[in-house]
Amino acid sequence: MKYIEYLLKRLIYSVVVLFGLSVIIFIISRVIPGDPARMALGPHATREQVEALRQSMGLHLSLIEQYIMYITNLFRGDFGMSLVSRRNVLVDLKLYFPATLELIIYTIIWVVIIGVPMGVVSAAKKDSKVDNFFKTLSFSAVVAPAFIIGLAFQLIFGYALNIMPITGRLSSALSASPRITGMLSFDALIQGDFQVFFNSLRHLLLPSLALSMPGIGQVSRITRASMLEVGTKDYISVMHSYGVPDGIINFIYMLKPAFIPSLNIIGMTFASLLGNAFLIEQVFSWPGVARYGINALLKVDVNALMGVVLLIGAVFLATNFIIDLLMGLLDPRVRLSEED
């Protein structure tokens, strides 16, 4: 019961943090140099036109009145009009967010299927040449900027070998499947359009792999350290003494408890990628929400900027909550510690 109370407290805490984030980013968006109305209308607009737009945006009101008006509209589902696209920001988020979410999902898949086995094998082969190679590779993946790796992938696979697409989400010769989720590969798979599905996967391969490199390095290092710690437990020594194969010990009996810290890192990686993907989206011309947010910042599109930051904050807090829930399910010690 106390564990449920703990989760409820975490949920309430998330709502409070999101409210605080809205206040902070609202104030920051209002003190950014530049007049949003003038930026939207351009240098040739008359003073009357600029003032009319300022009135319609409520920029003539006090900061508190502007915030109250914004929050009131937000609860009605009105995120305000983007000064660049001339659409409601909610419409833009629905348009751009699925592209980034799809990219992040495949990035996390790479992080799990490469980073975790690397950590397990590195721990099993401690101080060997394989371990040293994986440690060097992990460190290099962490320190190398993802966009530099992305540019290298473009030069190698796009220009030198010319075997992979390097921009966009789909080849121009193909039409996307009817929209269901907004994620091209998932929509195509659901509707059985395998040509579009495999083509979208080819476009996803390089940006997702480049974006996954820092996460792969972190997860590999954390998994290795956790595996080495679990390997010192008495029950692992007993299994070795009974002749249980190393593969079964490593991937069945040691990986589950060792995966708890890695799960936390994977969750934080998922949440952080939503904001950190903008360089990869820029390099690969990926029409995602991170790229949309950077353009909003550069063009002082305050409503779009607010919408993107609140979306990223909500996803980050939701991911934290889900990770807390999963850790409680995977590790009974977490539940018991909250019930003491």
Side-chain angles (χ1 to χ4, degrees):
M1 182 60 68
K2 288 186 178 181
Y3 181 64
I4 301 298
E5 293 177 0
Y6 164 74
L7 292 178
L8 290 175
K9 288 179 181 179
R10 289 284 295 175
L11 187 60
I12 295 172
Y13 164 79
S14 298
V15 174
V16 173
V17 170
L18 192 60
F19 171 75
L21 176 64
S22 70
V23 174
I24 294 172
I25 192 60
F26 184 86
I27 295 174
I28 293 176
S29 68
R30 291 311 189 266
V31 300
I32 292 176
D35 185 351
R38 171 62 68 182
M39 294 286 289
L41 294 176
H44 301 295
T46 64
R47 182 177 299 178
E48 291 75 16
Q49 290 173 323
V50 173
E51 187 59 32
L53 182 57
R54 285 178 58 83
Q55 293 280 339
S56 66
M57 294 177 62
L59 295 177
H60 64 291
L61 301 173
S62 67
L63 201 59
I64 296 177
E65 290 175 320
Q66 290 183 51
Y67 179 75
I68 293 174
M69 183 177 70
Y70 180 81
I71 289 296
T72 302
N73 293 333
L74 198 64
F75 281 114
R76 296 172 182 167
D78 182 6
F79 282 62
M81 184 188 71
S82 168
L83 300 177
V84 176
S85 68
R86 300 293 179 178
R87 296 187 296 258
N88 190 294
V89 172
L90 184 60
V91 174
D92 284 344
L93 294 180
K94 289 180 179 179
L95 179 65
Y96 294 115
F97 177 65
T100 297
L101 181 60
E102 182 180 34
L103 178 61
I104 291 174
I105 288 174
Y106 284 95
T107 298
I108 292 299
I109 291 174
W110 286 120
V111 169
V112 174
I113 67 175
I114 297 178
V116 173
M118 274 180 57
V120 173
V121 174
S122 185
K125 306 290 185 180
K126 181 184 177 183
D127 296 330
S128 67
K129 291 182 179 179
V130 174
D131 181 30
N132 292 331
F133 172 74
F134 280 159
K135 286 193 294 185
T136 303
L137 189 63
S138 298
F139 180 77
S140 301
V142 170
V143 300
F147 76 95
I148 295 295
I149 299 175
L151 289 172
F153 283 170
Q154 286 184 330
L155 290 173
I156 295 171
F157 298 104
Y159 291 101
L161 301 179
N162 195 24
I163 58 175
M164 296 298 295
I166 58 174
T167 59
R169 301 178 67 192
L170 198 66
S171 297
S172 58
L174 297 176
S175 298
S177 303
R179 184 184 178 98
I180 298 176
T181 65
M183 295 181 282
L184 297 186
S185 62
F186 290 94
D187 289 348
L189 184 61
I190 291 171
Q191 298 173 67
D193 192 346
F194 294 106
Q195 185 180 12
V196 172
F197 172 70
F198 287 113
N199 188 270
S200 64
L201 287 185
R202 294 184 74 242
H203 282 78
L204 276 161
L205 180 61
L206 294 185
S208 63
L209 192 57
L211 193 58
S212 69
M213 287 301 173
I216 289 173
Q218 290 179 342
V219 169
S220 174
R221 295 169 64 191
I222 294 296
T223 302
R224 178 186 182 276
S226 300
M227 289 288 291
L228 292 175
E229 181 181 355
V230 173
T232 61
K233 304 298 183 183
D234 292 337
Y235 73 94
I236 299 298
S237 301
V238 171
M239 289 183 184
H240 282 297
S241 66
Y242 276 98
V244 179
D246 290 342
I248 294 177
I249 294 175
N250 290 330
F251 285 95
I252 295 180
Y253 294 103
M254 291 177 61
L255 183 56
K256 181 179 178 180
F259 187 66
I260 303 299
S262 300
L263 178 63
N264 194 30
I265 295 297
I266 291 170
M268 294 299 98
T269 300
F270 180 90
S272 63
L273 285 175
L274 193 59
N276 296 338
F278 69 92
L279 285 176
I280 287 295
E281 290 184 352
Q282 194 70 33
V283 168
F284 287 91
S285 298
W286 195 265
V289 74
R291 186 182 179 191
Y292 171 75
I294 293 300
N295 290 334
L297 176 62
L298 295 176
K299 296 177 181 179
V300 200
D301 191 349
V302 291
N303 289 332
L305 181 62
M306 283 283 296
V308 171
V309 173
L310 288 177
L311 174 63
I312 293 175
V315 171
F316 194 91
L317 293 170
T319 303
N320 271 327
F321 181 78
I322 293 172
I323 291 300
D324 286 342
L325 183 61
L326 291 177
M327 290 182 67
L329 294 175
L330 291 175
D331 190 352
R333 293 173 298 180
V334 176
R335 298 194 302 271
L336 293 174
S337 64
E338 297 299 332
E339 294 176 0
D340 288 341

